[in-house]
Amino acid sequence: MAEPEFTARGVRIGRRLRSLTRAGQVRISDGRLELLTSHGTEIDSAPVQAVRASRPWFAPEDRALADLNGHRYLLTLGDHDPAPGEPGPPAARRFIEAVRRASGRGA
């Protein structure tokens, strides 16, 4: 198994007004985006080419939207990248760039 291209832990994942997990994981590996609970159970996954990632309007910098398999997920990541060796999720901007880069749409 190849090294993941992007991994974020401690991510709040929600759909509409419902929170699915407060400490989930987002991973891009082998051309797939996976949304996982804090226990590692898969919430949803899809090929990166079929995923649309963006920033919601009028939302804090730590939020990102991910559209996959007909569902829109609101991801709350960190508002800035953590220092090396420090815990915490990377910035939403870095997640969006990773999705675009993995799908071949550029950075």
Side-chain angles (χ1 to χ4, degrees):
M1 184 153 136
E3 185 71 25
E5 299 163 32
F6 177 86
T7 301
R9 289 181 168 79
V11 178
R12 179 182 291 254
I13 301 172
R15 248 177 65 191
R16 297 190 182 248
L17 297 176
R18 182 173 172 224
S19 177
L20 301 175
T21 183
R22 292 186 296 169
Q25 188 177 128
V26 176
R27 185 175 22 186
I28 298 174
S29 180
D30 297 327
R32 289 190 71 79
L33 172 71
E34 298 174 313
L35 303 178
L36 307 169
T37 66
S38 57
H39 302 293
T41 305
E42 183 176 293
I43 295 170
D44 206 347
S45 71
V48 176
Q49 290 83 4
V51 174
R52 197 178 94 200
S54 60
R55 276 209 3 88
W57 289 21
F58 305 111
E61 290 287 319
D62 64 345
R63 306 270 168 86
L65 292 173
D67 293 325
L68 57 149
N69 297 328
H71 300 285
R72 176 169 286 176
Y73 296 93
L74 177 63
L75 310 175
T76 305
L77 298 113
D79 56 356
H80 62 279
D81 287 326
E86 292 292 317
R93 174 182 39 78
R94 212 180 99 193
F95 164 71
I96 295 167
E97 290 170 0
V99 169
R100 290 182 181 152
R101 193 172 38 253
S103 66
R105 289 181 240 157

Short mmCIF file of all heavy atoms in Angstrom, two decimals, residues 29-75:
data_model
loop_
_atom_site.label_atom_id
_atom_site.label_comp_id
_atom_site.label_asym_id
_atom_site.label_seq_id
_atom_site.Cartn_x
_atom_site.Cartn_y
_atom_site.Cartn_z
N SER A 29 -5.51 8.46 -0.72
CA SER A 29 -4.51 7.42 -0.94
C SER A 29 -4.91 6.58 -2.14
O SER A 29 -6.09 6.23 -2.29
CB SER A 29 -4.41 6.54 0.31
OG SER A 29 -3.45 5.54 0.14
N ASP A 30 -3.94 6.24 -2.96
CA ASP A 30 -4.18 5.39 -4.14
C ASP A 30 -5.32 5.90 -5.01
O ASP A 30 -6.13 5.13 -5.52
CB ASP A 30 -4.47 3.95 -3.72
CG ASP A 30 -3.29 3.31 -3.01
OD1 ASP A 30 -2.14 3.66 -3.35
OD2 ASP A 30 -3.52 2.47 -2.12
N GLY A 31 -5.42 7.23 -5.17
CA GLY A 31 -6.44 7.80 -6.04
C GLY A 31 -7.85 7.82 -5.47
O GLY A 31 -8.81 8.03 -6.21
N ARG A 32 -8.01 7.60 -4.16
CA ARG A 32 -9.33 7.61 -3.52
C ARG A 32 -9.33 8.56 -2.34
O ARG A 32 -8.35 8.66 -1.60
CB ARG A 32 -9.71 6.23 -3.01
CG ARG A 32 -10.04 5.25 -4.11
CD ARG A 32 -10.65 3.98 -3.59
NE ARG A 32 -11.99 4.13 -3.07
CZ ARG A 32 -13.10 4.22 -3.81
NH1 ARG A 32 -13.01 4.20 -5.11
NH2 ARG A 32 -14.29 4.33 -3.25
N LEU A 33 -10.44 9.24 -2.16
CA LEU A 33 -10.67 10.06 -0.97
C LEU A 33 -11.53 9.25 -0.02
O LEU A 33 -12.57 8.72 -0.43
CB LEU A 33 -11.40 11.36 -1.33
CG LEU A 33 -11.85 12.20 -0.15
CD1 LEU A 33 -10.67 12.83 0.56
CD2 LEU A 33 -12.81 13.28 -0.59
N GLU A 34 -11.10 9.14 1.22
CA GLU A 34 -11.85 8.38 2.23
C GLU A 34 -12.17 9.28 3.40
O GLU A 34 -11.31 10.01 3.89
CB GLU A 34 -11.02 7.20 2.74
CG GLU A 34 -10.67 6.19 1.69
CD GLU A 34 -9.73 5.12 2.24
OE1 GLU A 34 -8.74 5.48 2.90
OE2 GLU A 34 -10.02 3.95 2.01
N LEU A 35 -13.42 9.23 3.84
CA LEU A 35 -13.85 9.91 5.06
C LEU A 35 -14.10 8.82 6.10
O LEU A 35 -14.90 7.92 5.87
CB LEU A 35 -15.14 10.71 4.82
CG LEU A 35 -15.10 11.76 3.71
CD1 LEU A 35 -16.47 12.41 3.56
CD2 LEU A 35 -14.04 12.80 3.98
N LEU A 36 -13.41 8.90 7.23
CA LEU A 36 -13.47 7.85 8.24
C LEU A 36 -13.87 8.43 9.59
O LEU A 36 -13.58 9.59 9.90
CB LEU A 36 -12.10 7.18 8.39
CG LEU A 36 -11.46 6.65 7.12
CD1 LEU A 36 -10.01 6.26 7.36
CD2 LEU A 36 -12.23 5.47 6.59
N THR A 37 -14.52 7.60 10.42
CA THR A 37 -14.85 8.01 11.78
C THR A 37 -13.58 7.95 12.63
O THR A 37 -12.53 7.49 12.17
CB THR A 37 -15.91 7.09 12.41
OG1 THR A 37 -15.34 5.79 12.56
CG2 THR A 37 -17.18 7.03 11.58
N SER A 38 -13.69 8.35 13.88
CA SER A 38 -12.54 8.31 14.78
C SER A 38 -12.09 6.87 15.06
O SER A 38 -10.95 6.64 15.45
CB SER A 38 -12.87 9.01 16.09
OG SER A 38 -14.01 8.43 16.68
N HIS A 39 -12.98 5.90 14.85
CA HIS A 39 -12.65 4.49 15.04
C HIS A 39 -12.15 3.82 13.77
O HIS A 39 -11.86 2.63 13.78
CB HIS A 39 -13.87 3.72 15.56
CG HIS A 39 -14.40 4.25 16.84
ND1 HIS A 39 -13.71 4.18 18.02
CD2 HIS A 39 -15.54 4.92 17.12
CE1 HIS A 39 -14.41 4.76 18.99
NE2 HIS A 39 -15.54 5.21 18.45
N GLY A 40 -12.07 4.57 12.66
CA GLY A 40 -11.58 4.01 11.40
C GLY A 40 -12.65 3.42 10.52
O GLY A 40 -12.34 2.87 9.46
N THR A 41 -13.92 3.53 10.91
CA THR A 41 -15.01 3.03 10.09
C THR A 41 -15.27 4.01 8.93
O THR A 41 -15.29 5.22 9.14
CB THR A 41 -16.30 2.91 10.93
OG1 THR A 41 -16.03 2.11 12.07
CG2 THR A 41 -17.43 2.29 10.12
N GLU A 42 -15.46 3.47 7.75
CA GLU A 42 -15.65 4.32 6.58
C GLU A 42 -17.03 4.98 6.58
O GLU A 42 -18.05 4.32 6.71
CB GLU A 42 -15.48 3.50 5.31
CG GLU A 42 -15.57 4.33 4.05
CD GLU A 42 -15.30 3.52 2.81
OE1 GLU A 42 -14.16 3.06 2.63
OE2 GLU A 42 -16.25 3.32 2.03
N ILE A 43 -17.05 6.29 6.42
CA ILE A 43 -18.28 7.04 6.25
C ILE A 43 -18.64 7.05 4.77
O ILE A 43 -19.77 6.76 4.38
CB ILE A 43 -18.14 8.48 6.77
CG1 ILE A 43 -17.90 8.48 8.28
CG2 ILE A 43 -19.35 9.32 6.42
CD1 ILE A 43 -17.50 9.83 8.84
N ASP A 44 -17.66 7.38 3.93
CA ASP A 44 -17.86 7.43 2.49
C ASP A 44 -16.49 7.46 1.82
O ASP A 44 -15.51 7.88 2.43
CB ASP A 44 -18.65 8.68 2.10
CG ASP A 44 -19.43 8.53 0.80
OD1 ASP A 44 -19.18 7.56 0.06
OD2 ASP A 44 -20.30 9.38 0.53
N SER A 45 -16.43 7.02 0.57
CA SER A 45 -15.19 7.10 -0.21
C SER A 45 -15.55 7.15 -1.68
O SER A 45 -16.63 6.69 -2.09
CB SER A 45 -14.27 5.92 0.09
OG SER A 45 -14.78 4.74 -0.44
N ALA A 46 -14.64 7.70 -2.47
CA ALA A 46 -14.86 7.81 -3.91
C ALA A 46 -13.52 8.07 -4.59
O ALA A 46 -12.58 8.55 -3.96
CB ALA A 46 -15.82 8.96 -4.22
N PRO A 47 -13.43 7.76 -5.90
CA PRO A 47 -12.22 8.12 -6.64
C PRO A 47 -12.05 9.64 -6.62
O PRO A 47 -13.03 10.39 -6.69
CB PRO A 47 -12.50 7.64 -8.06
CG PRO A 47 -13.60 6.65 -7.93
CD PRO A 47 -14.39 7.04 -6.72
N VAL A 48 -10.82 10.09 -6.51
CA VAL A 48 -10.55 11.53 -6.38
C VAL A 48 -11.07 12.29 -7.60
O VAL A 48 -11.52 13.42 -7.48
CB VAL A 48 -9.04 11.78 -6.16
CG1 VAL A 48 -8.73 13.26 -6.13
CG2 VAL A 48 -8.59 11.13 -4.88
N GLN A 49 -11.05 11.67 -8.79
CA GLN A 49 -11.54 12.35 -9.99
C GLN A 49 -13.02 12.69 -9.90
O GLN A 49 -13.49 13.59 -10.56
CB GLN A 49 -11.28 11.50 -11.25
CG GLN A 49 -9.84 11.38 -11.63
CD GLN A 49 -9.11 10.29 -10.84
OE1 GLN A 49 -9.71 9.56 -10.05
NE2 GLN A 49 -7.81 10.19 -11.05
N ALA A 50 -13.77 11.96 -9.08
CA ALA A 50 -15.21 12.18 -8.94
C ALA A 50 -15.55 13.09 -7.77
O ALA A 50 -16.72 13.35 -7.51
CB ALA A 50 -15.92 10.84 -8.77
N VAL A 51 -14.54 13.59 -7.07
CA VAL A 51 -14.75 14.43 -5.88
C VAL A 51 -14.59 15.90 -6.26
O VAL A 51 -13.70 16.26 -7.03
CB VAL A 51 -13.74 14.06 -4.77
CG1 VAL A 51 -13.85 15.02 -3.61
CG2 VAL A 51 -13.96 12.64 -4.32
N ARG A 52 -15.47 16.72 -5.71
CA ARG A 52 -15.33 18.17 -5.87
C ARG A 52 -15.09 18.77 -4.50
O ARG A 52 -15.88 18.55 -3.57
CB ARG A 52 -16.59 18.76 -6.50
CG ARG A 52 -16.34 20.15 -7.07
CD ARG A 52 -17.55 20.69 -7.71
NE ARG A 52 -18.23 21.49 -6.67
CZ ARG A 52 -19.47 21.84 -6.68
NH1 ARG A 52 -20.25 21.47 -7.66
NH2 ARG A 52 -19.97 22.57 -5.73
N ALA A 53 -14.00 19.49 -4.35
CA ALA A 53 -13.66 20.12 -3.08
C ALA A 53 -13.63 21.63 -3.27
O ALA A 53 -13.12 22.12 -4.27
CB ALA A 53 -12.31 19.63 -2.59
N SER A 54 -14.19 22.34 -2.29
CA SER A 54 -14.23 23.80 -2.38
C SER A 54 -14.36 24.39 -0.98
O SER A 54 -14.53 23.67 -0.01
CB SER A 54 -15.40 24.25 -3.25
OG SER A 54 -16.63 23.80 -2.69
N ARG A 55 -14.26 25.71 -0.93
CA ARG A 55 -14.48 26.41 0.33
C ARG A 55 -15.89 26.99 0.32
O ARG A 55 -16.30 27.59 -0.67
CB ARG A 55 -13.49 27.57 0.47
CG ARG A 55 -12.18 27.13 1.02
CD ARG A 55 -11.40 28.13 1.82
NE ARG A 55 -11.94 29.44 2.10
CZ ARG A 55 -12.72 29.74 3.15
NH1 ARG A 55 -13.08 28.83 3.99
NH2 ARG A 55 -13.14 30.97 3.33
N PRO A 56 -16.64 26.84 1.40
CA PRO A 56 -17.98 27.43 1.44
C PRO A 56 -17.90 28.95 1.56
O PRO A 56 -16.96 29.47 2.16
CB PRO A 56 -18.62 26.80 2.68
CG PRO A 56 -17.49 26.33 3.51
CD PRO A 56 -16.33 26.07 2.60
N TRP A 57 -18.88 29.62 1.01
CA TRP A 57 -18.93 31.08 1.11
C TRP A 57 -19.24 31.48 2.54
O TRP A 57 -19.97 30.80 3.25
CB TRP A 57 -20.03 31.62 0.23
CG TRP A 57 -19.74 31.53 -1.24
CD1 TRP A 57 -18.85 30.71 -1.87
CD2 TRP A 57 -20.36 32.30 -2.25
NE1 TRP A 57 -18.89 30.92 -3.20
CE2 TRP A 57 -19.81 31.90 -3.47
CE3 TRP A 57 -21.33 33.28 -2.25
CZ2 TRP A 57 -20.19 32.45 -4.68
CZ3 TRP A 57 -21.70 33.82 -3.46
CH2 TRP A 57 -21.14 33.42 -4.66
N PHE A 58 -18.71 32.55 2.96
CA PHE A 58 -19.01 33.15 4.27
C PHE A 58 -18.80 32.18 5.43
O PHE A 58 -19.59 32.14 6.35
CB PHE A 58 -20.44 33.71 4.31
CG PHE A 58 -20.71 34.68 3.21
CD1 PHE A 58 -21.57 34.35 2.18
CD2 PHE A 58 -20.09 35.91 3.20
CE1 PHE A 58 -21.83 35.25 1.15
CE2 PHE A 58 -20.33 36.81 2.17
CZ PHE A 58 -21.20 36.49 1.16
N ALA A 59 -17.77 31.37 5.33
CA ALA A 59 -17.46 30.43 6.40
C ALA A 59 -16.03 30.67 6.87
O ALA A 59 -15.21 31.22 6.14
CB ALA A 59 -17.60 29.00 5.89
N PRO A 60 -15.72 30.26 8.08
CA PRO A 60 -14.36 30.43 8.57
C PRO A 60 -13.35 29.68 7.69
O PRO A 60 -13.70 28.76 6.96
CB PRO A 60 -14.39 29.81 9.98
CG PRO A 60 -15.83 29.81 10.36
CD PRO A 60 -16.60 29.70 9.09
N GLU A 61 -12.09 30.08 7.79
CA GLU A 61 -11.01 29.50 6.98
C GLU A 61 -10.80 28.01 7.21
O GLU A 61 -10.18 27.35 6.40
CB GLU A 61 -9.70 30.23 7.28
CG GLU A 61 -9.64 31.64 6.77
CD GLU A 61 -9.49 31.70 5.26
OE1 GLU A 61 -8.73 30.90 4.69
OE2 GLU A 61 -10.15 32.55 4.64
N ASP A 62 -11.30 27.48 8.32
CA ASP A 62 -11.04 26.07 8.63
C ASP A 62 -12.06 25.11 8.03
O ASP A 62 -12.03 23.93 8.28
CB ASP A 62 -10.97 25.86 10.14
CG ASP A 62 -12.29 26.16 10.84
OD1 ASP A 62 -13.19 26.78 10.23
OD2 ASP A 62 -12.42 25.78 12.02
N ARG A 63 -12.97 25.60 7.19
CA ARG A 63 -14.04 24.77 6.62
C ARG A 63 -13.79 24.47 5.15
O ARG A 63 -13.29 25.31 4.41
CB ARG A 63 -15.40 25.47 6.74
CG ARG A 63 -15.74 25.91 8.13
CD ARG A 63 -16.47 24.83 8.89
NE ARG A 63 -16.57 25.13 10.30
CZ ARG A 63 -17.52 25.86 10.86
NH1 ARG A 63 -18.46 26.39 10.12
NH2 ARG A 63 -17.52 26.05 12.16
N ALA A 64 -14.18 23.26 4.74
CA ALA A 64 -14.11 22.86 3.34
C ALA A 64 -15.34 22.01 3.04
O ALA A 64 -15.88 21.35 3.92
CB ALA A 64 -12.84 22.05 3.06
N LEU A 65 -15.77 22.04 1.78
CA LEU A 65 -16.86 21.19 1.32
C LEU A 65 -16.28 20.10 0.44
O LEU A 65 -15.38 20.35 -0.36
CB LEU A 65 -17.87 22.00 0.50
CG LEU A 65 -18.68 23.04 1.24
CD1 LEU A 65 -19.51 23.87 0.25
CD2 LEU A 65 -19.59 22.38 2.25
N ALA A 66 -16.80 18.90 0.58
CA ALA A 66 -16.40 17.78 -0.28
C ALA A 66 -17.67 17.13 -0.80
O ALA A 66 -18.51 16.67 -0.03
CB ALA A 66 -15.56 16.77 0.50
N ASP A 67 -17.84 17.14 -2.12
CA ASP A 67 -18.98 16.48 -2.77
C ASP A 67 -18.51 15.15 -3.32
O ASP A 67 -17.65 15.11 -4.20
CB ASP A 67 -19.52 17.34 -3.91
CG ASP A 67 -20.15 18.63 -3.44
OD1 ASP A 67 -20.76 18.62 -2.36
OD2 ASP A 67 -20.02 19.66 -4.13
N LEU A 68 -19.08 14.05 -2.78
CA LEU A 68 -18.75 12.73 -3.30
C LEU A 68 -19.96 11.82 -3.20
O LEU A 68 -20.71 11.88 -2.24
CB LEU A 68 -17.53 12.12 -2.62
CG LEU A 68 -17.48 11.94 -1.13
CD1 LEU A 68 -16.63 10.72 -0.81
CD2 LEU A 68 -16.83 13.14 -0.48
N ASN A 69 -20.15 11.03 -4.23
CA ASN A 69 -21.26 10.08 -4.32
C ASN A 69 -22.62 10.74 -4.10
O ASN A 69 -23.51 10.16 -3.48
CB ASN A 69 -21.07 8.92 -3.33
CG ASN A 69 -19.84 8.10 -3.63
OD1 ASN A 69 -19.46 7.96 -4.78
ND2 ASN A 69 -19.22 7.58 -2.60
N GLY A 70 -22.78 11.95 -4.58
CA GLY A 70 -24.06 12.64 -4.46
C GLY A 70 -24.34 13.24 -3.10
O GLY A 70 -25.43 13.74 -2.85
N HIS A 71 -23.37 13.22 -2.21
CA HIS A 71 -23.54 13.78 -0.87
C HIS A 71 -22.53 14.91 -0.67
O HIS A 71 -21.40 14.83 -1.12
CB HIS A 71 -23.31 12.73 0.22
CG HIS A 71 -24.24 11.57 0.13
ND1 HIS A 71 -25.56 11.64 0.51
CD2 HIS A 71 -24.05 10.31 -0.31
CE1 HIS A 71 -26.14 10.48 0.31
NE2 HIS A 71 -25.24 9.64 -0.19
N ARG A 72 -22.97 15.94 0.04
CA ARG A 72 -22.08 17.06 0.37
C ARG A 72 -21.72 16.98 1.84
O ARG A 72 -22.58 16.93 2.71
CB ARG A 72 -22.77 18.40 0.09
CG ARG A 72 -21.89 19.58 0.51
CD ARG A 72 -22.43 20.87 0.00
NE ARG A 72 -22.15 20.89 -1.43
CZ ARG A 72 -22.56 21.84 -2.24
NH1 ARG A 72 -23.28 22.83 -1.79
NH2 ARG A 72 -22.26 21.79 -3.52
N TYR A 73 -20.42 16.96 2.10
CA TYR A 73 -19.91 16.88 3.47
C TYR A 73 -19.22 18.18 3.82
O TYR A 73 -18.48 18.73 3.01
CB TYR A 73 -18.91 15.73 3.61
CG TYR A 73 -19.53 14.38 3.38
CD1 TYR A 73 -19.51 13.78 2.13
CD2 TYR A 73 -20.16 13.70 4.42
CE1 TYR A 73 -20.09 12.55 1.91
CE2 TYR A 73 -20.76 12.46 4.21
CZ TYR A 73 -20.71 11.90 2.96
OH TYR A 73 -21.30 10.67 2.75
N LEU A 74 -19.47 18.66 5.03
CA LEU A 74 -18.78 19.83 5.54
C LEU A 74 -17.66 19.34 6.45
O LEU A 74 -17.91 18.61 7.42
CB LEU A 74 -19.74 20.73 6.33
CG LEU A 74 -19.10 21.96 6.97
CD1 LEU A 74 -18.54 22.90 5.91
CD2 LEU A 74 -20.12 22.69 7.82
N LEU A 75 -16.44 19.70 6.10
CA LEU A 75 -15.27 19.28 6.86
C LEU A 75 -14.72 20.49 7.62
O LEU A 75 -14.51 21.54 7.03
CB LEU A 75 -14.20 18.74 5.92
CG LEU A 75 -14.64 17.69 4.92
CD1 LEU A 75 -13.50 17.34 3.98
CD2 LEU A 75 -15.15 16.46 5.62
#
